[in-house]
Amino acid sequence: MGTITQDQVNESDQDTTKKSIIDYDPKHFLRCHSKKNDSSDVQTQVWQCAFQPDCNDRRKTTSIVATCGGNSVCFIDVEKGIVPYKYYAKDSREMLYALAWTVNLSYSFLVCAGAMYSVHFLDSVNGIAFGVKAVKKTSKKNIINSLLFHPEQWNLLFCGGSDGDIHLCNIGNPSPPEYKVDFEVLQQFSTQSEIISFTFCPVNNTLLIGCDSGLLGWNYSVDDIKSEERNSIKLTLPTRKGGPKQDMVDSVEAVGGGVIATKCVLHGVIYLWNLTDTLNSGTHEVRPTHILQWSNTDNYFMYMGVQPEANMLCCGDDQGSLWLYDLDRLDPAEPDCPVTVRPSCVLPWPTLTDPHTEKRRKLSVDTYDIVVAKVAISSNRENIVAVTNNNMVCVWEKCES
């Protein structure tokens, strides 16, 4: 069960642990992205995970979570701990780093992308892969590491590359049984900086881009989606004492109502701030309303998970722990005085018995740092899924605290 110790979390102005009532137990820990089905593979990195949206209510999620790592995608039933469908990229050189769900009426499907700069289309319900579309010709050094569907236009897909390019693509209207993908790149523009993370704030029609040089914003209106003119915004985040003026942003998420969560490398905290207030300030200087205490790690590429329906945020660290924040319980912030927040719960990496690595005389899974690359939360708060750099998909289940 989750615990907080004094050496894990710094003292803060707001003691949320006294009123926390949420906790989770480990439920299923799966190694399902193994290279050549090696059950003792602890080297394949799993990069992303996302719960399938419910077609009847897109604010909610189903019990299926998609994960990508190596050259495969797994669709996992978190209730049963099984993989009903697994997809392998035909090109063995493909490495999949990003995925995104979209819903068209009563039909949902997944896209994924990575090293080959191409988008793969998957129907998990029917177990069908129905297309691979190249976004552009590129060198082997460049990859797609961010995918995001427009929250109000289900067939508009943002693709972000390590080369700094953003492609806005129209995927047409694929649906069973034909699954016809009319793929078209509508726009391309460059940030001149490696893209690490995407989110979209519909309140302000703004695409926020976490880069290795900071945080950028691009205004998008559906009415003029084909316009060549875009207003770019450079957002100034708080500086770390003794650090550079602008730090790498390795995770950015829209929480809801114009509130944004942003994580900067080496800051040891997660900032909550209001995009509307920032855009209206004239200076585009981010002033946090809440500062969430997090790990003091020097590792990066640990993506937050935000579930607006559940109003929860979670982020893993490089020790396999999950830092969970119940946003329902945040105290209101006063002007120019951000509230410092401790996590509602810290879920430590459990002790695992691994007969496969023992049989092959390999080092145990926790010999080296366990970097949690991404976290996803179900809309009903019942499950949290985390994926790691040592080929683990970790399913946690809510328990009585």
Side-chain angles (χ1 to χ4, degrees), residues 88-368:
Y88 288 96
K90 291 182 179 180
D91 192 330
S92 61
R93 299 171 298 173
E94 179 68 284
M95 300 291 289
L96 299 170
Y97 297 105
L99 53 74
W101 287 97
T102 190
V103 176
N104 177 22
L105 299 177
S106 60
Y107 170 66
S108 68
F109 63 88
L110 186 91
V111 298
C112 57
M116 305 306 293
Y117 230 99
S118 297
V119 178
H120 304 244
F121 294 83
L122 308 174
D123 175 2
S124 63
V125 175
N126 297 310
I128 294 174
F130 56 93
V132 180
K133 298 293 183 180
V135 177
K136 72 171 185 178
K137 293 182 179 179
T138 182
S139 69
K140 294 181 180 180
K141 295 181 180 180
N142 296 323
I143 64 174
I144 292 177
N145 52 21
S146 296
L147 292 172
L148 178 71
F149 279 99
H150 192 291
E152 297 174 349
Q153 293 289 309
W154 72 271
N155 58 355
L156 292 182
L157 176 66
F158 296 100
C159 305
S162 60
D163 54 1
D165 284 350
I166 294 176
H167 292 81
L168 175 62
C169 306
N170 188 325
I171 64 172
N173 188 22
S175 59
E178 293 84 6
Y179 294 103
K180 183 179 180 182
V181 180
D182 296 318
F183 191 82
E184 178 187 5
V185 177
L186 300 178
Q187 284 189 349
Q188 175 185 346
F189 53 94
S190 179
T191 64
Q192 306 298 322
S193 180
E194 180 179 3
I195 297 166
I196 304 172
S197 181
F198 274 157
T199 196
F200 194 95
C201 180
V203 174
N204 305 98
N205 291 320
T206 300
L207 175 70
L208 292 170
I209 310 153
C211 304
D212 62 0
S213 63
L215 185 64
L216 302 176
W218 291 77
N219 180 260
Y220 266 92
S221 172
V222 175
D223 296 331
D224 62 348
I225 203 70
K226 292 188 177 182
S227 172
E228 294 296 330
E229 296 184 5
R230 294 294 171 202
N231 297 320
S232 62
I233 306 164
K234 181 72 172 181
L235 297 159
T236 304
L237 290 158
T239 56
R240 179 173 56 91
K241 186 176 181 180
K245 292 183 178 180
Q246 189 67 65
D247 291 311
M248 177 191 294
V249 174
D250 66 347
S251 188
V252 57
E253 293 279 353
V255 177
V259 176
I260 308 298
T262 304
K263 183 165 75 70
C264 302
V265 173
L266 299 177
H267 281 219
V269 296
I270 296 167
Y271 300 111
L272 294 185
W273 51 282
N274 189 286
L275 178 58
T276 303
D277 293 344
T278 303
L279 295 177
N280 292 337
S281 68
T283 63
H284 296 158
E285 181 179 350
V286 171
R287 296 184 179 276
T289 58
H290 297 81
I291 299 176
L292 312 185
Q293 296 287 352
W294 186 64
S295 169
N296 287 320
T297 176
D298 56 1
N299 268 317
Y300 48 96
F301 295 145
M302 287 168 282
Y303 297 89
M304 296 179 289
V306 170
Q307 220 315 313
E309 180 72 8
N311 207 20
M312 290 177 65
L313 183 151
C314 188
C315 191
D317 61 19
D318 58 355
Q319 301 300 314
S321 298
L322 304 183
W323 300 59
L324 183 61
Y325 307 85
D326 185 353
L327 303 183
D328 278 337
R329 309 183 74 81
L330 293 187
D331 289 340
E334 298 180 1
D336 302 320
C337 185
V339 178
T340 303
V341 181
R342 297 176 69 177
S344 305
C345 184
V346 176
L347 307 176
W349 182 260
T351 301
L352 300 179
T353 301
D354 192 343
H356 301 292
T357 55
E358 293 173 1
K359 184 177 181 180
R360 297 289 296 275
R361 296 184 179 180
K362 289 188 175 183
L363 295 174
S364 64
V365 72
D366 56 357
T367 300
Y368 302 105

Side-chain angles (χ1 to χ4, degrees), residues 1-2 24-29 347-348 350-352 394-397:
M1 298 176 67
Y24 290 78
D25 280 337
K27 184 177 184 180
H28 305 295
F29 277 56
L347 307 176
T351 301
L352 300 179
C394 313
V395 180
W396 296 78
E397 182 179 43

Side-chain angles (χ1 to χ4, degrees), residues 48-65:
Q48 290 286 334
C49 58
F51 275 96
Q52 179 186 36
D54 188 330
C55 294
N56 297 318
D57 187 346
R58 300 182 191 185
R59 299 171 301 174
K60 298 181 179 180
T61 59
T62 73
S63 62
I64 298 297
V65 68

